[in-house]
Amino acid sequence: MNQPISISPDGIKYPLPKEEDYKKEIARIEKLVTQARKKGQEIVVVMGVGFVGSVMAAIIADTTNKNGKSGKFVIGMQRPSARSYWKIPKLNDGISPVKAEDPEVAPMIRRCVLDKKTLVATFVYDVLKLADVVVVDVQLDYAKNELGNVRNGQVEMTALEESFDIIAHRIPAHCLVLIETTVAPGTTEQVALPAMRKVFRQRGIKHDPLIAHSYERVMPGRDYVASIRDFWRVCSGINEKAKQRVVKFLNEVLNTEKFPLTVLDRPIESETAKVVENSYRATILAFLDEWSLFAERNGVDLIKVIKAIKVRPTHSNMIFPGPGIGGYCLPKDGGLGVWANCHILGFEDDTFKMTPMAIDINDTRSLHAAQLVRDALRNMSLPIASAEVLILGASYREDVGDTRYSGSEILIRRLTEMGAEIRVHDPYVDCWFEFENQEEYPDGSKSVFFRNQKKLKDLRVQKDLNKSLKNIDALVLAVRHAAYLKLDPAKIVKTAGHPIAVIDCFGILDDERIRHYLALGCDVKGLGRGHIKRLKDEVSKKKI
Ligand SMILES: NC(=O)c1ccc[n+]([C@@H]2O[C@H](COP(=O)([O-])OP(=O)(O)OC[C@H]3O[C@@H](n4cnc5c(N)ncnc54)[C@H](O)[C@@H]3O)[C@@H](O)[C@H]2O)c1
């Protein structure tokens, strides 16, 4: 039988570890830990080295104590799944498993792994036995069973519950367990604590495990590292001792002098803070969806309207919603609260109205972007069926390579359903897992909500923009990546070979560029950009 492999985004095949590899691996790590202990370093295991865990692990590994020496030895522990195992060998080579615009990420990981030798990655759970602190950064998914109906979904608790069990069986009795994963409120005290306490009792440990909660506010992108290290944190612990331990730990690894900690009484408050924080953001984005449609229908440019309003300091956090609100957090975090209210806390009544509605609006916003593509092509007498459509941007936000719940995915799925031929370009995304693996993970794939999706498993993200532009019929500006902000209309049309439909989903085009495209014979449409008709009339009057 072939040995299962894990393929990294740059195409390298890594065979998954075999049974006999585990013994060797733990011996390797034990040796490194003995050396670290001799240097007086605290041993920190970061469980899950994904978008959050890999950078958090590096930040911890990079910290120095009062004497300027490395105070922590960090073991990034990652389960050896086909989807994620590759992150381990990459990290051990000093290469960041996440791609981002922040110039601090790659050198920090390289420095910690290769120079300071304070960061190592592994696949063996038994490293938990060596830990003084465990930081839990595994994902917690929220499965949606219908497009645009978050209520009819559920939190996938089993994997997290298994992680708590694995940790409780292995950690030393006085190890701090810091849960950073965004969890359903109530999880730390009502799920993790009883489960881990039970195992502790079986192990003959009389006191409770030291469990704390502190959520991440990381913004992958230009300020990736700073958004973890140089930013305010909220934390709490299940008892006074856990609270003191988490405060001490966070003070040692984060810049809390400049960005002081907020310590809350109970983990459910810290968990709720995270879910409310993200539900608030999801809601202020969702409410603009109806105004975006209003703007399109009534000659209003919502981009300029928002800019005008933001001058008022009380309204400065207003942001234009792109083609759907993606990323790992905003589409699910409110759902964690709605789900917890019933399934952890036992309330049957319909407490939540705005939170699920906001998520549902955000989850379906990109369907309207697909309509704009259809309409712009129709204005150029081209049917959407068989039209060559190039989508610029696969990730959920600018300047990162994270495609989770990206608006572009739903847009592409809808356009494909309507018969369009899709090409996609993104400077940060090497492999679009959600399409390439849609058949391996059908339960989690949004393909089930659309017809005609089979061919999308062969969709590959292009890196050569000029090549991607050749002979397209429509260009969709879907993500505000730096590379897309200043594209020259004349060059685009020349490379395409003829006038095209241009759809701006993110307020990327200024009026000058819109006029230029129109003057070149293109049709232009944009989410929330009702003033384009006015510019069109202006341009055609000039022509006469
Ligand atoms: N990505 C963000 O921008 C962001 C921001 C704030 C908070 N968060 C939260 O942080 C948490 C982690 O998110 P992420 O984006 O890093 O997810 P991710 O999927 O990139 O990383 C999670 C990693 O954990 C690994 N893993 C899962 N189960 C494991 C186990 N039992 N043992 C060891 N490893 C395991 C996975 O293989 C994966 O590599 C989530 O709760 C998320 O909501 C994420």
Side-chain angles (χ1 to χ4, degrees), residues 285-440:
L285 284 154
F287 111 92
L288 280 177
D289 178 64
E290 60 201 33
W291 288 107
S292 175
L293 201 58
F294 172 89
E296 283 168 36
R297 289 173 174 170
N298 294 289
V300 173
D301 183 6
L302 190 66
I303 298 293
K304 293 195 198 94
V305 168
I306 292 176
K307 217 172 148 194
I309 297 170
K310 280 176 77 155
V311 176
R312 195 178 154 176
T314 49
H315 289 52
S316 61
N317 66 353
M318 212 177 211
I319 29 173
F320 179 81
I325 310 309
Y328 188 52
C329 299
L330 297 203
K332 73 166 169 61
D333 286 359
L336 296 176
V338 175
W339 182 88
N341 191 46
C342 177
H343 297 287
I344 295 184
L345 305 163
F347 292 97
E348 284 299 324
D349 61 338
D350 199 10
T351 312
F352 292 103
K353 292 176 184 61
M354 280 170 59
T355 299
M357 189 194 284
I359 292 177
D360 293 346
I361 289 169
N362 293 339
D363 280 357
T364 49
R365 179 163 161 81
S366 50
L367 297 176
H368 178 56
Q371 293 173 340
L372 294 186
V373 180
R374 175 200 65 197
D375 295 349
L377 282 165
R378 195 177 49 208
N379 286 354
M380 300 187 71
S381 306
L382 282 170
I384 180 88
S386 305
E388 292 285 339
V389 181
L390 171 62
I391 311 288
L392 293 189
S395 55
Y396 81 93
R397 75 185 292 261
E398 66 269 23
D399 306 327
V400 283
D402 186 352
T403 55
R404 288 178 294 175
Y405 307 116
S406 103
S408 298
E409 182 189 346
I410 298 296
L411 172 64
I412 288 172
R413 293 201 179 282
R414 175 62 108 209
L415 289 171
T416 301
E417 194 173 60
M418 292 155 86
E421 295 295 331
I422 302 294
R423 303 173 196 183
V424 61
H425 175 276
D426 195 302
Y428 304 97
V429 177
D430 293 324
C431 156
W432 201 342
F433 193 87
E434 284 78 0
F435 288 115
E436 287 187 29
N437 290 278
Q438 64 182 22
E439 283 174 9
E440 281 83 355

Side-chain angles (χ1 to χ4, degrees), residues 48 50-52 78 84 87 125 139 163 181-182 218 332 404:
F51 283 94
V52 174
Q78 170 63 52
S84 288
K87 295 172 194 171
Y125 284 127
Q139 76 275 35
S163 301
T181 295
T182 306
V218 53
K332 73 166 169 61
R404 288 178 294 175

